[in-house]
Structures are given as C-alpha cells and as structure tokens.
Amino acid sequence: MSALTAASRELFGNPGAPSGDVAWPLAHPVATVLLWSAALLVVFVPLSVRAYNRGGR
C-alpha cells in the first residue's frame, strides 16, 4: 500500500523523497506497482478465463 501511495504522489508531481535506507519498493514505487499489477494479471486472467469457459461450475 505504501508503494501505491508513493507512486501516486510521484506521478502527480508531489514526490515524497525517501529518507535514508529504504526498501526497494519505496525507492522505486512506480516500477513496483507496475510489476505487482502485471504479476496479478498473469495469475488471475487465465484462471478467470478458464472459469468463464467452464460455465461457472
């Protein structure tokens, strides 16, 4: 959730500079959000298509 908030701030032009030694997701919030979004799509799109093709059984 913190990475999503930081990415939103960065994209809207109000970046909160990470202070000190922070984790990679907070240092690169936009990349983190894009990678997590892609990973969730890769997992759940095939599962939902398979469930739809089976007729919801």
Side-chain angles (χ1 to χ4, degrees):
M1 208 47 137
S2 297
L4 180 61
T5 303
S8 297
R9 287 181 178 168
E10 186 173 317
L11 291 173
F12 281 108
N14 186 17
S19 59
D21 188 25
V22 296
W24 190 87
L26 290 178
H28 309 283
V30 176
T32 302
V33 170
L34 291 175
L35 287 172
W36 271 108
S37 298
L40 289 172
L41 285 172
V42 164
V43 170
F44 288 107
V45 166
L47 291 174
S48 62
V49 168
R50 183 181 302 165
Y52 180 77
N53 287 335
R54 288 185 182 175
R57 287 185 270 154

